[in-house]
Amino acid sequence: GSGSTLAREEDDDCAIEARPEEPTRVEGKAQQLRGSGSAGPRCHGVQPQPRHRPRSCEGLSDKVASDVEPLHGFKFSFLCLSGVDDSVSPRTLCDISQEFSFVEWGVNFRAEKQGKEPRYASLAWLRQLREEVDRRQQTGKFAPIHFAAHLGGEYCVDVMKGDASLVRTLWEDYGFLRVQLSPTRAHGVNSTQLRKYLTSLKSVIVALPQVEFVLEVTKETRGLSFALMDEPQPNLAFLFVSDEPAKGDSSSSSAPPLRPPPCPHPGIHVGYGGALNVDNLRDELRRIASTVDDPKRPVWVDLEAGLRSQGPGKHDEFDLGKVWSCIRIIFDLGLPRPRPSYAASSSR
């Protein structure tokens, strides 16, 4: 199977970083990911449990009393940290997840970029991740580890056309409980006539109730996303992405981004992303909580560009220092940990 092959090829955890990844064919997407030695579904998303206060957060300034009040009743589900790639060890991600149950890792999928550009993990890295999760499950001391697959390009289009094979593989073989679709030009998708995919996409969502599907909501995707909001499925969530400043202050680079109110149906899981970083996360959480204004609405936030570093020797690098800073903000705010999303709670 692919697991034993990978074990023979790699001497240690740094093997992937130590040598360039071989070019990978883009055909047969589900087959590329599916290993012949699959051990069945990996359903990691169970109820997050409260942890003891970890050492990594000791010594933080105690601002809890002043910070929690504006967020009182805010039903926070996940801090999604996206764009993990071969520059970070799967073992490190799993270690962090074991300590902080509200962390979710976003893995980008786009055929022509996979393993060739920053923010796109290689297939060898994904196999290593699967082996690390399996190893931890076998020890019997395994806390939930949350992963979301973020699909762009032809991967995204195939799902919208009604092909459930890739999503099924990601769920069964790799334990991805959430799959995000980003049908925008920036993610390599022609977004001019998205509404034509309404029926075929809904068929995939209905066929895989154990997976939570996330649709990115922007001006480009509103034809499809608004139609799905009119008749929402219980395992469909919406991510509102904004890169724009607030109206009336568009000339100011410091203007806060727009955060639209969530879809009107109560209980639908919603997320907010775009223009989030370590410096503004605390304030943006307050703005998002004020916008949502519903203690029964589960909400997550997603960061990607705000986790990267540029500089000498660093080209768009996934920055673990920024990851820790974001985690500390969430932990220090003492945000409540609600039930997991629909997909996680129904997967067993």
Side-chain angles (χ1 to χ4, degrees):
S2 61
S4 59
T5 302
L6 189 66
R8 290 196 300 271
E9 290 175 352
E10 292 153 3
D11 295 326
D12 54 49
D13 289 331
C14 299
I16 287 175
E17 299 172 39
R19 79 168 180 270
E21 178 68 5
E22 290 294 322
T24 306
R25 293 168 62 86
V26 301
E27 304 99 320
K29 294 171 279 297
Q31 287 74 14
Q32 282 183 330
L33 288 167
R34 185 182 292 279
S36 58
S38 170
R42 290 161 171 79
C43 302
H44 311 147
V46 297
Q47 175 69 49
Q49 299 297 317
R51 310 272 200 271
H52 62 280
R53 187 174 183 85
R55 291 178 186 171
S56 49
C57 286
E58 288 176 7
L60 297 176
S61 61
D62 190 9
K63 292 183 173 182
V64 171
S66 62
D67 285 331
V68 166
E69 190 174 355
L71 294 164
H72 180 68
F74 183 50
K75 195 170 184 179
F76 184 75
S77 56
F78 291 119
L79 171 67
C80 186
L81 304 169
S82 300
V84 293
D85 53 29
D86 291 39
S87 68
V88 60
S89 163
R91 180 175 293 180
T92 299
L93 303 187
C94 290
D95 284 343
I96 294 172
S97 289
Q98 301 271 257
E99 203 166 2
F100 301 98
S101 60
F102 54 81
V103 169
E104 177 183 72
W105 304 106
V107 184
N108 294 333
F109 288 85
R110 190 167 163 187
E112 69 273 18
K113 296 178 180 285
Q114 215 69 44
K116 300 180 181 124
E117 296 184 17
R119 310 191 192 196
Y120 292 89
S122 67
L123 298 179
W125 185 94
L126 285 164
R127 288 194 294 270
Q128 194 180 61
L129 170 65
R130 183 174 64 181
E131 290 178 347
E132 180 65 24
V133 170
D134 285 349
R135 184 183 68 80
R136 289 172 186 250
Q137 283 182 320
Q138 291 164 10
T139 67
K141 297 179 181 178
F142 182 80
I145 299 179
H146 303 285
F147 290 96
H150 295 183
L151 307 186
E154 64 181 78
Y155 290 151
C156 178
V157 173
D158 285 350
V159 175
M160 291 192 298
K161 285 180 176 178
D163 184 353
S165 60
L166 175 61
V167 177
R168 193 179 296 278
T169 294
L170 290 168
W171 171 64
E172 290 180 349
D173 291 0
Y174 292 86
F176 284 89
L177 284 172
R178 302 215 302 156
V179 173
Q180 178 179 315
L181 304 176
S182 299
T184 66
R185 287 185 294 274
H187 291 96
V189 176
N190 181 346
S191 58
T192 54
Q193 293 182 318
L194 292 179
R195 203 180 186 287
K196 68 184 180 183
Y197 297 119
L198 177 61
T199 302
S200 53
L201 173 56
K202 191 178 287 187
S203 72
V204 176
I205 295 170
V206 170
L208 291 167
Q210 63 272 48
V211 175
E212 181 170 270
F213 289 82
V214 177
L215 182 61
E216 188 171 316
V217 182
T218 66
K219 287 181 179 177
E220 282 183 74
T221 70
R222 59 189 174 188
L224 178 61
S225 57
F226 288 1
L228 285 165
M229 286 179 196
D230 287 340
E231 207 177 318
Q233 301 300 312
N235 60 324
L236 176 61
F238 297 96
L239 175 68
F240 294 88
V241 178
S242 176
D243 295 310
E244 301 177 37
K247 288 182 179 177
D249 199 12
S250 58
S251 61
S252 172
S253 60
S254 62
L258 296 169
R259 302 293 180 202
C263 52
H265 294 274
I268 296 295
H269 199 192
V270 297
Y272 288 87
L276 286 172
N277 55 55
V278 173
D279 296 329
N280 71 5
L281 180 58
R282 193 182 298 263
D283 290 337
E284 285 299 301
L285 281 166
R286 289 196 189 92
R287 293 185 64 231
I288 291 166
S290 177
T291 296
V292 173
D293 193 26
D294 180 357
K296 295 182 179 180
R297 170 90 66 174
V299 180
W300 83 94
V301 293
D302 183 290
L303 291 86
E304 182 172 322
L307 300 175
R308 316 302 293 193
S309 283
Q310 305 280 358
K314 292 183 179 181
H315 172 62
D316 196 31
E317 184 176 288
F318 187 78
D319 191 328
L320 282 171
K322 292 181 179 181
V323 163
W324 279 113
S325 295
C326 292
I327 290 172
R328 286 171 174 170
I329 288 169
I330 301 297
F331 191 91
D332 208 25
L333 287 171
L335 290 175
R337 324 262 166 80
R339 63 166 179 80
S341 64
Y342 171 87
S345 63
S346 66
S347 63
R348 288 193 172 273

